């Protein structure tokens, strides 16, 4: 009588994939790569000292001190302002001037404004003392209880008398050089009406 074939045992140890990836299938190679990922000798961490610090952002083409900008965001969106200089942080220092359209000295990201071909003469104006520290808020004003933040009687933060006087002194030289047409242009708000497309406009 022919001997019956012995059935394979169900308790045999599972076979591990071969160590050499060249002798296994695609699925086995994927598992092998996954197991050894990050453990190779060539993998190395980038030191923090080697990371490059971002440099100052370049100005848009045609943007020079004295150019009139249209602000697209913030409290004064739609207003026009005069570009004075670029600060160390990369932000743009602009002014209305305040006596013309109510826009004070402020910092603006150039991504949030449109440069126009209109330019204003800045001869005689001096904004060398204005930097990023000029806009730093008082540390004492930040402190306070949560109840005071939401109370109706909480005092509103206003510009100091020193800054108001400095604003007027710095803007006087610009206002004197403005003509009637420039003043009217700076006072006007920018807005789009029907059938007006920004990409077709020439600023």
């Amino acid at each position: 009588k022919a001997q019956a074939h012995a059935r394979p045992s169900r308790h045999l140890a599972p076979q591990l994939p071969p160590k050499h990836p060249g002798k296994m299938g695609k699925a086995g190679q994927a598992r092998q790569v996954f197991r050894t990922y990050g453990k190779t000798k060539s993998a190395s961490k980038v030191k923090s000292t080697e990371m490059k610090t971002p440099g100052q952002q370049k100005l848009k083409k045609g943007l020079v001190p004295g150019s009139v900008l249209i602000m697209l965001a913030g409290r004064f969106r739609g207003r026009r302002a005069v570009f004075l200089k670029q600060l160390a942080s990369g932000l743009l220092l602009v002014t209305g001037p305040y006596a013309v359209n109510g826009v004070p000295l402020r910092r603006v990201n150039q991504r949030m404004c449109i440069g126009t071909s209109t330019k204003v003469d800045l001869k005689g104006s001096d904004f060398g003392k204005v930097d990023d520290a000029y806009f730093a808020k008082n540390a004492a004003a930040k402190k306070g209880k949560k109840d005071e933040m939401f109370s109706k009687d909480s005092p509103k933060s206003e510009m100091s008398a020193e800054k108001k006087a400095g604003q007027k002194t710095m803007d006087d030289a610009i206002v004197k050089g403005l003509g009637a047409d420039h003043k009217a242009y700076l006072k006007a708000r920018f807005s789009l009406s029907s059938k007006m497309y920004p990409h077709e406009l020439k600023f």
Side-chain angles (χ1 to χ4, degrees):
K1 294 181 180 179
Q3 295 181 357
H5 296 286
R7 294 181 179 179
S9 176
R10 297 180 180 180
H11 302 286
L12 293 177
Q15 295 181 358
L16 297 175
K19 296 183 179 181
H20 303 286
K23 298 181 180 180
M24 64 177 72
K26 292 183 179 180
Q29 290 180 12
R31 288 195 299 270
Q32 187 72 11
V33 172
F34 176 77
R35 289 179 181 178
T36 59
Y37 180 77
K39 297 180 180 180
T40 57
K41 295 181 180 179
S42 60
S44 60
K45 294 182 179 180
V46 179
K47 296 181 180 179
S48 59
T49 55
E50 297 178 0
M51 297 178 66
K52 296 182 179 179
T53 55
Q56 192 178 32
Q57 191 176 9
K58 294 182 179 179
L59 291 174
K60 292 181 179 179
K61 186 178 179 181
L63 194 60
V64 295
S67 299
V68 177
L69 307 178
I70 300 173
M71 292 181 284
L72 304 177
R75 178 184 172 188
F76 299 98
R77 61 182 177 272
R79 290 287 189 181
R80 292 176 169 87
V82 181
F83 167 55
L84 304 176
K85 67 176 182 177
Q86 187 178 24
L87 301 173
S89 61
L91 299 176
L92 308 182
L93 178 65
V94 300
T95 184
Y98 184 79
V100 177
N101 57 11
V103 179
L105 276 172
R106 60 189 292 108
R107 295 177 296 178
V108 179
N109 192 326
Q110 62 177 329
R111 293 184 178 181
M112 298 301 174
C113 59
I114 300 175
T116 66
S117 58
T118 307
K119 293 179 175 55
V120 174
D121 187 14
L122 300 180
K123 187 177 180 180
S125 58
D126 183 18
F127 299 91
K129 296 181 181 179
V130 182
D131 53 3
D132 291 307
Y134 178 86
F135 299 95
K137 294 183 179 179
N138 188 7
K142 295 182 181 180
K143 296 181 181 180
K145 297 180 180 179
K146 294 182 179 179
D147 298 337
E148 295 179 357
M149 294 174 61
F150 300 100
S151 63
K152 296 181 180 179
D153 300 332
S154 59
K156 296 181 180 180
S157 59
E158 296 182 357
M159 188 183 298
S160 62
E162 184 181 356
K163 286 189 176 181
K164 287 182 179 179
Q167 169 91 55
K168 185 178 180 181
T169 304
M170 289 184 283
D171 284 351
D172 282 345
I174 301 177
V175 175
K176 289 179 181 178
L178 294 176
D181 52 345
H182 280 96
K183 288 182 180 180
Y185 180 72
L186 290 170
K187 287 181 181 179
R189 279 181 174 270
F190 172 77
S191 60
L192 294 174
S193 59
S194 60
K195 297 182 180 181
M196 288 181 63
Y197 306 100
H199 61 278
E200 294 180 354
L201 299 178
K202 292 183 179 181
F203 300 96

